[in-house]
Amino acid sequence: MGTGNTTVPSARDVAATLRPVVDDAPALVIAWSAREPHRVGEVALLDVAGPWVLGRASGELAQLAFVRQRPHASIITGGLAGDSLSRRQIEIERAHAGLSLRNVGNARMRVNGADAISEVVVDGDVVEVVGHYVFYVTTRPVSPGDAFDWAAYPFGEADSVGIVGESPAAWKLRADLAFAAMTNAHVLIHGPSGTGKELCAAAIHSLSPRARRPFIALSAANIPPGLIDSELFGHPKNYPNAGMPERIGLVGAADGGTLFLDEIGEMPPELQAHLLRFLDARGKYNRLGETLTRHANVRLVCATNRGPAGLKFDLLARLMVRIQTPSLEARREDIPLIVRHLLRASPSAAAFANDVDPSLMVKLLRMRFPTNVRELEEHLVRALRFSAGSPPLRLVEPRGVVPAPPEDERMVAEIRAALERHGWHVSRAAESLGMSRHALARLMKKHGIRE
């Protein structure tokens, strides 16, 4: 059970105290590579005075160096490879609004899918050195700090609990999960649909001292109102009618472990009260048809895509550790790694994992995904369906499909709608969109969104 009335700080608060305050810098993240697919996710930080040179590594020029950036240990991997890549391919300087790029090498440069010779790029733009690399433009902390220990796993792969990503947002989520796991308080996981809330709940369980005990999961939206007590607490044999089998209930089944209730925001407040009584009784409960008082040592983890405000206030007060799962918008540079992971997970698609057409990767990096990873997976399934059956994987739209609105127009419309819903309160709108306040402010500035 939880820790009674002891005040437990949020995972976000604790993570903030563990990390030093660091300066951010413009960065280029490798999103696709013709010759070095294993380097996807590596980042070059432009944290000192330029100019810089992006090109094939040599001893003659000071090339941009890439690193595998992690909170506990970053590894320098050096310059780029490719015999046909120019040593001086792109010259880069700081610009008022971002980075100024000038293509001086042999390969063509494309920015957001369009040919370019000289261009200023900002967060969210995609730069392609045709035939060689695709880079995602973002902002990264110069040093992510040494926040916590996390079991070692290969760069760019799924970690021990199944999370994929090397972005700051992915590592912040890991920090939040690590903190939640070491407490015994009840947890609320909230975030947009398709951001892996059940995966996070399972991660908290597997990283906690309860890992060897049961993990019981159920969607709260699927509990019929008249059966809430039976589902939660169970009943003895022959109750309420002769011949009825014994039902141990979710609470009894999760004794010593974790009870995960997904979609808790869909449970009506009057039904949330049944759960609240159990929490306030410190694990004591009665099965239907019994006078015997039982006790279960259960850690409750709930999830919702409605946000904390959608819960009954009294129940929310008992869920003292709160974790927000980041949207794909908040960790867009992880999309290539997630794409590779999803393709590898399907035997019929594994051959495409390291052979995705760069034009498809550029498109995916610039798309908006309202349902996040779930929608990204749908796009991959569609690409596989209409592919020629052999690598590389290309996005081929079937005939008769009405083209979607331009991605930037759709994103601007989503942002403006969120701001209007929340009275142009940037922090609240950002939370509803599943991104940080700073990320939303950057997008508003980039697209000239004003009240």
Side-chain angles (χ1 to χ4, degrees):
M1 290 299 299
T3 53
N5 294 323
T6 302
T7 300
V8 178
S10 72
R12 179 179 297 180
D13 293 339
V14 171
T17 64
L18 292 173
R19 285 189 174 86
V21 176
V22 295
D23 293 331
D24 292 340
L28 297 177
V29 181
I30 299 176
W32 179 89
S33 171
R35 294 193 54 181
E36 302 178 293
H38 60 281
R39 298 188 65 179
V40 169
E42 293 181 10
V43 60
L45 295 163
L46 289 79
D47 58 330
V48 296
W52 300 270
V53 174
L54 178 71
R56 175 162 50 92
S58 71
E60 302 172 14
L61 298 170
Q63 305 284 358
L64 268 183
F66 286 79
V67 301
R68 294 184 167 184
Q69 189 184 41
R70 284 181 166 176
H72 49 280
S74 294
I75 300 173
I76 298 175
T77 53
L80 304 176
D83 294 339
S84 60
L85 181 67
S86 299
R87 289 186 175 91
R88 185 183 289 272
Q89 180 63 52
I90 300 177
E91 295 176 347
I92 308 175
E93 294 187 60
R94 292 270 188 135
H96 176 69
L99 295 173
S100 176
L101 308 184
R102 189 163 69 94
N103 192 43
V104 296
N106 294 326
R108 288 161 44 222
M109 179 177 76
R110 294 172 66 85
V111 176
N112 297 330
D115 287 329
I117 295 176
S118 181
E119 190 75 43
V120 174
V121 297
V122 296
D123 281 14
D125 285 338
V126 182
V127 179
E128 181 181 0
V129 180
V130 178
H132 296 279
Y133 291 91
V134 173
F135 302 97
Y136 181 75
V137 183
T138 186
T139 300
R140 280 282 183 95
V142 174
S143 171
D146 185 9
F148 59 96
D149 292 328
W150 193 267
Y153 69 96
F155 184 84
E157 305 295 336
D159 62 23
S160 61
V161 296
I163 297 172
V164 178
E166 300 292 343
S167 66
W171 279 100
K172 181 188 179 305
L173 177 61
R174 292 186 178 104
D176 289 347
L177 295 176
F179 169 73
M182 73 182 184
T183 74
N184 198 37
H186 305 303
V187 182
L188 175 66
I189 304 171
H190 61 100
S193 297
T195 52
K197 294 185 284 295
E198 183 168 359
L199 178 67
C200 291
I204 292 171
H205 176 76
S206 66
L207 294 170
S208 75
R210 298 174 179 267
R212 296 182 181 274
R213 302 296 295 169
F215 175 78
I216 305 298
L218 184 72
S219 171
N222 293 336
I223 302 178
L227 298 179
I228 181 70
D229 286 330
S230 177
E231 287 281 353
L232 287 176
F233 308 121
H235 57 74
K237 186 177 180 180
N238 295 322
Y239 182 90
N241 300 309
M244 291 287 290
E246 180 183 19
R247 188 169 199 164
I248 191 173
L250 296 173
V251 166
D255 188 17
T258 301
L259 173 58
F260 172 56
L261 293 180
D262 198 4
E263 300 183 80
I264 190 67
E266 305 300 322
M267 179 182 281
E270 60 272 17
L271 299 187
Q272 294 178 27
H274 293 246
L275 193 59
L276 183 62
R277 285 197 297 271
F278 168 70
L279 298 179
D280 286 345
R282 299 181 181 273
K284 295 179 181 179
Y285 68 101
N286 296 95
R287 298 200 302 189
L288 292 178
E290 282 188 348
T291 58
L292 173 68
T293 298
R294 298 174 180 268
H295 180 272
N297 178 8
V298 174
R299 207 268 187 90
L300 179 66
V301 178
C302 297
T304 179
N305 59 13
R306 291 192 171 192
L311 296 185
K312 183 177 171 63
F313 176 79
D314 291 346
L315 176 59
L316 183 61
R318 273 69 175 177
L319 303 173
M320 291 185 287
V321 176
R322 298 169 196 172
I323 296 173
Q324 182 171 2
T325 52
S327 66
L328 274 184
E329 179 62 42
R331 49 184 299 220
R332 190 165 286 276
E333 63 258 50
D334 287 332
I335 286 176
L337 300 175
I338 297 171
V339 165
R340 185 174 65 189
H341 175 74
L342 292 173
L343 292 173
R344 282 179 179 171
S346 171
S348 61
F352 296 94
N354 288 320
D355 202 350
V356 174
D357 189 84
S359 62
L360 170 58
M361 189 58 69
V362 170
K363 185 175 181 67
L364 292 175
L365 285 166
R366 302 195 66 234
M367 291 179 70
R368 290 304 179 273
F369 300 96
T371 56
N372 297 285
V373 176
R374 190 175 298 128
E375 189 167 348
L376 173 61
E377 191 167 12
E378 290 174 1
H379 282 283
L380 292 178
V381 170
R382 189 177 301 119
L384 288 164
R385 179 183 176 187
F386 294 101
S387 71
S390 59
L393 179 63
R394 295 183 174 92
L395 183 60
V396 180
E397 293 291 351
R399 294 180 181 177
V401 173
V402 177
E407 299 304 330
D408 282 355
E409 291 181 17
R410 185 161 57 186
M411 179 195 65
V412 169
E414 291 173 3
I415 289 175
R416 185 172 291 278
L419 287 165
E420 290 175 351
R421 282 197 309 272
H422 294 280
W424 290 84
H425 191 289
V426 176
S427 296
R428 293 172 186 167
E431 182 176 356
S432 71
L433 290 166
M435 64 179 75
S436 70
R437 182 184 184 281
H438 296 297
L440 178 55
R442 286 197 299 269
L443 288 170
M444 291 173 65
K445 181 178 179 181
K446 177 181 176 181
H447 296 283
I449 303 172
R450 298 183 182 88
E451 185 175 2

